[in-house]
Amino acid sequence: MTSIDWAIVIAYLVVSLVVGLWLARRNRSEEDYFVAGRQLKGWLAGASMAATTFSIDTPLYVAGLVGVRGLAGNWEWWSFGVAHVAMAVVFAPLWRRSGVLTDAALTELRYGGPTAAWLRGIKAFLFALPINCIGLGYAFLAMAKVSEALGLAPTPQARVTLLAIVGLLVLVYTAAGGLWAVVVTDMLQLVLALLGAIAVSVAAVHAAGGMDALLESIRGLERPELLSLVPWQVEGGRLQWLDGAGISIATFSSYLALQWWSFRRSDGGGEFIQRLLATRDEREARTAGWVFLGVNYVLRSWPWIVVALAAVVLLPDQTDWEQSYPLLAVQLLPPVALGLVVVSLVAAFMSTVSTSVNWGASYLTHDLYQRFIRPQAKEKELLLVGQLASVLLVVLGVITSLMSSSIGTVFRLVIAMGTGPGVVLVLRWFWWRVNAAAELAALLGGFLIGFSTSVVPLLRIDDYGVRLLVTTLLTAGLWLLAMLATPPESPEVLERFVRQVRPPGPGWTRWRQRTAVQADETLPGLLLLLLAGCALLFGALLGIGGFLLKLQLWGWGGLVLAVVGGLLLRRGSGRVPAEG
């Protein structure tokens, strides 16, 4: 990097710090600090959600997936699109109507008694510390890999120093500014990250001789999985599984039919829920969901994938494909352009870390400290605790990053540890009989089983799909037994939930009648919106990719699917009648 590149990076860091400190003036209460006073517009909340997932680790993660497994490897994260469509059309208004400050706090709105309190405390602890710190760890790990590829930190000691400096900077504006600082800087960071990804992809395609030459070179490598959107191909009228993709039938089946609903984010996901709760109303919450879907899947997927495909051709001797993205940026971009791309990667890193820190601090402050330690704490005390919790999380994130070397491995560990409770998290919105004991059993069972089958040598299951299936089935047995062995929630608790949230579906009919409350939506109407939304999302995603990579059948098929889905979604959104 030249002096001008460094100047661009430093200028960006200073601007981010100033914006964060300036926005700190808005924080007068816990609600201001953690949910921006519930005043966010949908487009800003959705952009912040997209920036959160647009971390520095994700382009490296996608480069590793494509380099090792080909295009079909992306279904490992594309499959979550189904859950995210459900978040936008089904769960966003329900979460916003709940009025809680964190998703852990919902447990004591939906359930009651000591079990609900235990569930809230355990959930807050697990999400804030082990799970959140692992997520922070692989963001810091990606930052270390990028700094190594750029020559910024050639030694382990230098990498630790760099991580400490950047972590301190993020900590200052996050701890001071709260969620307002996070979402406003997220918007800037998202724009920079998208421009950086597009710049690297354009430079990579140009270096490969253009898109046609790039595709021809890839076909000459005799790795058909690189340009296959599914891990199989049809030859001579027979279906042939692509062993080179390294994706078993069980694993691919889990991507499509299991992972997205069994994972702990099946009804939204912690930091996404925080953004939905921070919006002005239910309509803005739905808008946030759709902005996130468009940016996260349709807009950002293909620049990363194009860079990953170009790396296979331009860096044939590369062994760590996760480093190919920053390596191509260094090799292909001139001064100024390289500085802007480095800024985009730093911006992506900062957006994820700042969100994870503020989100984790909300659990430690609201769901642990205020709920169990100091219920009478004043607003100033809670703000101070939130800031101290932010410091703790950044330190733990840096330490965690030093314990792993593969971003993809850490990503799959996080998914495995969160698999199992997803079905309970969905059912609690639509069936009165789900109780706190069931959710607690699912949460602990999924965490322990997922961790054991991923890490413990005697229990480890190497096939990722089989591991998720075993975790889901064993967890289901645990929560069903817990639910049947314990009484349902009290009528007072159930009636309070119905009055506050107005949940749809036949599972609440008796309670709506008892409280004279009418649901705002119907279950069939929501299912129609879910199907139409999935058609629109995946049609657009695969259609754009098909045309870009000269896969005409995928291109036209995706286009037709997106148009049909869009029409059904528009028609269904206008008439989702309420039910009594």
Side-chain angles (χ1 to χ4, degrees), residues 304-526:
W304 289 347
I305 291 173
V306 167
V307 173
L309 290 172
V312 175
V313 173
L314 299 174
L315 302 172
D317 298 325
Q318 184 68 17
T319 55
D320 184 354
W321 291 111
E322 291 180 350
Q323 282 197 332
S324 61
Y325 187 94
L327 284 174
L328 284 182
V330 171
Q331 293 182 14
L332 302 178
L333 294 175
V336 179
L338 177 59
L340 291 173
V341 169
V342 172
V343 163
S344 76
L345 291 172
V346 173
F349 166 79
M350 293 172 68
S351 66
T352 296
V353 171
S354 61
T355 289
S356 296
V357 167
N358 184 265
W359 170 57
S362 72
Y363 287 133
L364 296 176
T365 304
H366 183 66
D367 298 300
L368 290 177
Y369 184 80
Q370 185 183 26
R371 173 63 180 83
F372 297 103
I373 301 173
R374 286 267 295 170
Q376 73 277 20
K378 304 298 183 183
E379 293 294 346
K380 286 187 177 180
E381 180 181 344
L382 293 174
L383 287 176
L384 177 61
V385 171
Q387 291 166 346
L388 294 175
S390 299
V391 175
L392 172 66
L393 291 170
V394 169
V395 172
L396 292 177
V398 173
I399 293 172
T400 305
S401 70
L402 304 176
M403 300 179 181
S404 181
S405 60
S406 171
I407 298 166
T409 300
V410 177
F411 179 83
R412 284 182 279 277
L413 174 62
V414 170
I415 294 175
M417 289 166 53
T419 294
V423 66
V424 178
L425 299 183
V426 171
L427 285 176
R428 66 182 178 177
W429 295 99
F430 301 106
W431 187 28
W432 69 274
R433 184 59 182 87
V434 174
N435 60 11
E439 186 172 334
L440 183 58
L443 176 68
L444 291 177
F447 181 85
L448 294 174
I449 295 169
F451 181 81
S452 299
T453 55
S454 300
V455 176
V456 179
L458 291 177
L459 301 175
R460 179 179 173 84
I461 301 174
D462 290 327
D463 188 287
Y464 179 68
V466 175
R467 189 192 318 164
L468 293 189
L469 179 61
V470 169
T471 302
T472 300
L473 291 176
L474 291 178
T475 304
L478 290 175
W479 72 257
L480 283 170
L481 286 173
M483 184 182 72
L484 296 175
T486 53
E489 299 299 327
S490 68
E492 294 78 16
V493 169
L494 296 173
E495 290 174 8
R496 179 188 63 194
F497 180 76
V498 169
R499 289 192 181 97
Q500 179 73 26
V501 178
R502 304 187 296 280
W508 290 100
T509 300
R510 176 159 62 98
W511 299 97
R512 287 196 301 268
Q513 292 172 348
R514 287 183 55 159
T515 56
V517 169
Q518 191 176 42
D520 291 5
E521 307 91 4
T522 67
L523 195 56
L526 291 175

Side-chain angles (χ1 to χ4, degrees), residues 187-237:
M187 187 67 227
L188 172 63
Q189 290 159 355
L190 177 63
V191 172
L192 290 172
L194 285 171
L195 291 176
I198 292 170
V200 178
S201 65
V202 170
V205 170
H206 178 74
M211 183 60 74
D212 290 335
L214 172 61
L215 296 177
E216 189 62 33
S217 298
I218 292 172
R219 294 187 185 98
L221 296 175
E222 297 183 356
R223 290 186 59 190
E225 72 275 6
L226 288 175
L227 293 177
S228 179
L229 286 164
V230 289
W232 67 77
Q233 63 182 3
V234 178
E235 283 190 358

Side-chain angles (χ1 to χ4, degrees), residues 259-273:
Q259 178 176 262
W260 59 270
W261 61 262
S262 185
F263 190 54
R264 61 180 172 82
R265 294 175 179 267
S266 58
D267 67 342
E271 58 268 53
F272 294 164
I273 293 170

